[in-house]
Amino acid sequence: HSAGVGTAWGYVTGTEDDLDDGDADGDGDVDEDDLDIVDENFPQPNPPLPEDELVPPPTNLSGDLDFDGDVDEDDFEIWLNNYSGNVFLVTNEVDEDDNNYSFGDLSLREALELADATTGSDKIRFAPWVNEIDLNGSHLEIDAGNNVTIKGRGADKLTIDAADLSRVFYVDPGVEVTMSGLTITGGLTDHGAGILNTGDLTLIDVAVTGNNASASNSHGGGIFTGSGASLHLIRTTVDDN
């Protein structure tokens, strides 16, 4: 059996006697199920396991895709390089738009732009080292015609903070958006400081808190839903706005 070095990322691939190719559950494809396995086991363990305790290919339900004894950023990179679908993995906390979409540099703002450039429905997920995103002074917009699911790792694990410089999210008309597992805070504007929703928005396990619609006669410090739009809240807290 032989192994080769992937030119895109520089990791080793090969047959089942060598290293895995991102298919953690061994079902023949690389999909979100494999990402879930890596995510749930990150970080694990440190120091690495002895070689005789590693799970051999072709499956590795511990998430250790490169079989080096631990689950780390390299395993996320292997999954991403082998995945070809509609999931964008945010790997950078910095709110930037520098057209560098490589592993370790993709921001939430850039992921939304990439989703907008594709057809159909898209999902945005977050690497476990992305815990707090401080916006750069402008809100995050989910554009018309772009149906998106933004799946955080938990409201206690991911915070998106506008730092009193802008609103946090603007959902365009005609857009179907589902957000889950995150905290939205620090929005400051007139209507809809946390979220200005003019589309079809569902929030699941989200905390919307610490936002302020500061102008006179303004509404919706946390969320403002415009005429003709819809809002669905599931296990979501909207308080202290």
Side-chain angles (χ1 to χ4, degrees), residues 40-59:
E40 290 166 3
N41 288 282
F42 177 91
Q44 178 257 263
N46 190 15
L49 285 172
E51 288 188 8
D52 60 358
E53 294 183 27
L54 297 182
V55 181
T59 62

Side-chain angles (χ1 to χ4, degrees), residues 175-199:
V175 181
E176 293 182 13
V177 177
T178 299
M179 301 184 193
S180 65
L182 51 88
T183 292
I184 296 169
T185 192
L188 178 65
T189 187
D190 47 15
H191 301 305
I195 305 173
L196 176 57
N197 171 38
T198 58

Side-chain angles (χ1 to χ4, degrees), residues 114-224:
L114 290 176
D116 182 50
T118 65
T119 58
S121 299
D122 300 291
K123 182 177 286 187
I124 295 173
R125 296 186 56 172
F126 300 83
W129 54 87
V130 176
N131 300 305
E132 181 165 353
I133 298 173
D134 296 322
L135 299 190
N136 61 17
S138 61
H139 65 255
L140 297 167
E141 184 168 354
I142 304 176
D143 294 329
N146 184 28
N147 298 332
V148 178
T149 296
I150 301 174
K151 182 180 180 181
R153 303 180 73 251
D156 60 337
K157 296 178 180 178
L158 175 63
T159 297
I160 303 174
D161 189 349
D164 294 335
L165 298 175
S166 69
R167 75 168 42 92
V168 184
F169 281 103
Y170 174 46
V171 179
D172 276 5
V175 181
E176 293 182 13
V177 177
T178 299
M179 301 184 193
S180 65
L182 51 88
T183 292
I184 296 169
T185 192
L188 178 65
T189 187
D190 47 15
H191 301 305
I195 305 173
L196 176 57
N197 171 38
T198 58
D200 182 352
L201 175 63
T202 300
L203 301 181
I204 305 171
D205 298 319
V206 171
V208 183
T209 184
N211 303 282
N212 185 11
S214 59
S216 61
N217 299 319
S218 60
H219 303 281
I223 306 170
F224 182 84

